[in-house]
Amino acid sequence: MEEDKLQFHEMGLDDRLLKALADLGWAQPTLIQEKAIPLSLEGKDLLARARTGSGKTAAYAVPLIQRILTSKQTVREQAVRALVLVPTKELGQQVQTMIRQLTAYCSRDVRVADISGKADLSAQKPILMEKPDIVVGTPSRVQAHVNAQNLVLNSSLEMLVIDEADLLFSFGFEDDIKSLLCHLPKIYQAFLMSATLNEDVQALKELVLHNPVTLKLQGSQLPDGSQLQQYSVKCEEEDKFLLIYTLLKLGLVRGKTLIFVSAVERCYRLKLFLEQFSIPACVLNSELPVHSRCHIISQFNQGFYDYIIATDEHGLEDPATSSQKSQGKGNKKKSGKGGKGKDKEYGVSRGIDFHNVSNVINFDFPTSVDSYIHRVGRTARADKPGTALSFISHTELLLLTEVENALIGDNTDCVLKPYGFKMEEIEAFRYRCRDAMRSVTKQAVKEARLKEIKQELLNSEKLKTYFEDNPRDLQLLRHDKDLHPAVIKPHLKNVPDYLIPAALKSLVNPLNRRKRKQKPKGATVMRSSFKKNFRSKNPLKSFRYVKKKHTEKKAKKS
């Protein structure tokens, strides 16, 4: 079967594109790439469903670049030929990075611009005036540039891509998309890429596609049990903190880990709790500037730190109301405590390419099946193995049942297995956790959020031009540094040997334990030789009193 698989060099791609693919180390296409690229090059509209991590971005980026290179052989006029719509700013930057990697050897012929950032329209206008071949952006930002006449699409556009199509409506972009379609030419090639085919995607299909080819490549939306291990453990609020402390501090969870919680406030509560035990973690917070969030993801991918605490921010509670700026004050009350200052175009569980994630921990269980699938889809990507562990309280049992029924209905064998962990074995750690939790007050959480926002704003705005000239210094900005608004108790840093359960001692620092067993012989010799030397050179034991001459003379005179 492998012999019949279509290879990149058999697709009629430009040599420069093939060379870039080789530099990326892609020996052969993934299933979605093998099926989508030839159909796209034939000019057909595509509706593609493939799970996260299957290579969907390259499946549309490669034909976009190839068609632009082909058209430039006959038409020399510079114009915007392709538009890529994404639901989040982070995904926009990721798509731009991917296209730049693929155009490494033809960057003069194929130029790409990402306009999904927070920069002012006037600041992005010069970029669009140069008419880049590919424009990447969120629907609201693209629509704003069209309204400002910075971007003209009705004459030159040849290709439209809607990535993560099932998220666009839920993020409040329905009106923007419908308005934007009025500014597009009558004829263009379109791609809808998504991990799920829900009602929103069907609605978009009717609006955008013309006689599309539908690619539904995987029966299940998650890898099977041989690649993805999924577990659940029933524990209440205090036990969640106890269990996460034990798993991370004793090294029972190894490798890069994403920890999902239900709200931004919970992110900082968990971060401050882990700081008590000197466990570094960083928060991916929608309140931070987009450059900071992308920098956090970049550093995580490069291995600077192992733990990211994040939220879904799925729709930001009320996407319909948050999509209009004019509704100001009324929305602030509606969005609740966690809604203030959040970025509508932020998303973590979807679209963001975290590299080599070994584990996903659902500290708080997701509120929908889709959210669970997209959280867990951050691990076990491509052919790499992964583990997902969900903490389940009694209030989350119905959600667990809903997810399990959906996975079974999806014809998959990757149901959630009970995590065989005996909570009574780590009972000795409970007093430490309670001690740490007492320090993490509401005031401490509030101060931590304010401190990080101020710190990130300073880094991203005032030092932006400096870091452009000194890119190496940017690596020194670590996002997992201690915030320290809570009182740190030094005794919590180390774990005494007597507290470690007997069943876990063989798993905790096995290398250190081997070294301890090898020491006794050398250690006793050193001690005995030290004692001998000490006795022979001890000034108190070798001291002898000698009478001085002047005392003897005094005795003779008397």
Side-chain angles (χ1 to χ4, degrees), residues 28 62 94 124 150 155 164 185 189 195 235 237 243 256 269 312 338-339 344 351 359 378 388 406 430 489 533-534:
Q28 57 185 18
V62 169
Q94 181 185 308
Q124 292 179 337
N150 299 335
S155 58
E164 300 290 355
Q189 184 181 9
C235 53
E237 180 69 2
L243 186 55
K256 291 184 178 180
R269 183 171 294 280
D312 282 332
K344 182 182 92 171
N359 315 287
R378 299 300 100 209
R430 188 177 295 277
K489 299 179 177 66
N533 293 334
F534 183 73

Side-chain angles (χ1 to χ4, degrees), residues 228-239:
L228 174 64
Q229 300 287 325
Q230 297 180 79
Y231 299 98
S232 66
V233 56
K234 293 177 182 177
C235 53
E236 298 308 320
E237 180 69 2
E238 185 179 297
D239 290 341

Side-chain angles (χ1 to χ4, degrees), residues 124-324:
Q124 292 179 337
K125 184 177 179 179
I127 300 170
L128 295 175
M129 291 294 286
E130 294 179 4
K131 297 182 179 179
D133 299 280
I134 303 172
V135 171
V136 182
T138 57
S140 59
R141 180 48 67 101
V142 173
Q143 179 62 33
H145 278 293
V146 169
N147 291 341
Q149 297 184 340
N150 299 335
L151 182 61
V152 179
L153 300 169
N154 57 7
S155 58
S156 62
L157 192 77
E158 298 174 8
M159 291 161 285
L160 171 68
V161 177
I162 299 181
D163 201 357
E164 300 290 355
D166 53 342
L167 260 193
L168 288 170
F169 279 13
S170 64
F171 265 51
F173 291 129
E174 183 175 1
D175 292 339
D176 291 318
I177 292 173
K178 288 179 179 177
S179 176
L180 191 58
L181 292 175
C182 299
H183 297 277
L184 301 185
K186 290 184 178 180
I187 300 174
Y188 56 85
Q189 184 181 9
F191 308 84
L192 282 188
M193 316 299 286
S194 179
T196 58
L197 297 180
N198 58 20
E199 292 179 3
D200 291 342
V201 177
Q202 296 301 326
L204 271 175
K205 175 185 172 183
E206 300 297 325
L207 288 170
V208 175
L209 301 179
H210 308 281
N211 299 321
V213 176
T214 301
L215 296 177
K216 189 177 177 182
L217 299 177
Q218 280 97 2
S220 90
Q221 297 177 58
L222 290 173
D224 59 29
S226 62
Q227 184 181 353
L228 174 64
Q229 300 287 325
Q230 297 180 79
Y231 299 98
S232 66
V233 56
K234 293 177 182 177
C235 53
E236 298 308 320
E237 180 69 2
E238 185 179 297
D239 290 341
K240 287 185 177 184
F241 285 91
L242 175 60
L243 186 55
I244 195 78
Y245 157 69
T246 307
L247 292 175
L248 300 187
K249 190 65 179 178
L250 300 186
L252 303 179
V253 170
R254 294 175 185 176
K256 291 184 178 180
T257 303
L258 292 179
I259 305 171
F260 282 101
V261 295
S262 58
V264 173
E265 183 269 341
R266 296 272 286 172
C267 287
Y268 284 95
R269 183 171 294 280
L270 182 56
K271 175 178 169 63
L272 293 177
F273 171 78
L274 294 176
E275 275 183 15
Q276 297 284 318
F277 307 101
S278 298
I279 302 173
C282 58
V283 172
L284 197 54
N285 178 6
S286 60
E287 296 169 331
L288 298 182
V290 64
H291 293 293
S292 299
R293 299 199 301 261
C294 291
H295 188 242
I296 291 170
I297 296 165
S298 173
Q299 285 196 328
F300 178 77
N301 289 341
Q302 292 174 45
F304 281 81
Y305 34 77
D306 291 329
Y307 308 123
I308 282 186
I309 306 171
T311 60
D312 282 332
E313 300 300 332
H314 192 73
L316 300 177
E317 285 85 40
D318 197 353
T321 56
S322 67
S323 64
Q324 301 295 331

Side-chain angles (χ1 to χ4, degrees), residues 98-117:
M98 171 65 70
I99 293 174
R100 283 185 173 169
Q101 288 174 334
L102 291 170
T103 57
Y105 297 100
C106 55
S107 55
R108 289 183 181 180
D109 294 318
V110 182
R111 287 179 287 170
V112 59
D114 173 27
I115 58 169
S116 57

Side-chain angles (χ1 to χ4, degrees), residues 420-466:
F421 196 91
K422 296 179 181 177
M423 292 297 291
E424 58 269 18
E425 289 189 348
I426 59 173
E427 193 63 33
F429 294 120
R430 188 177 295 277
Y431 80 95
R432 291 179 149 238
C433 288
R434 286 177 177 170
D435 201 8
M437 288 174 74
R438 276 193 290 269
S439 299
V440 185
T441 61
K442 286 184 178 179
Q443 185 61 29
V445 171
K446 184 178 178 181
E447 289 176 12
R449 291 176 72 171
L450 288 172
K451 181 179 178 181
E452 188 161 57
I453 290 168
K454 288 177 182 176
Q455 188 176 333
E456 293 299 329
L457 284 170
L458 179 71
N459 293 339
S460 62
E461 296 299 329
K462 288 190 177 180
L463 300 180
K464 185 179 178 182
T465 53
Y466 171 79

Side-chain angles (χ1 to χ4, degrees), residues 336-354:
K337 291 179 183 178
K340 190 177 181 181
K342 288 180 180 177
D343 186 352
K344 182 182 92 171
E345 298 168 1
Y346 159 82
V348 176
S349 71
R350 292 298 306 273
I352 309 304
D353 191 12
F354 295 99

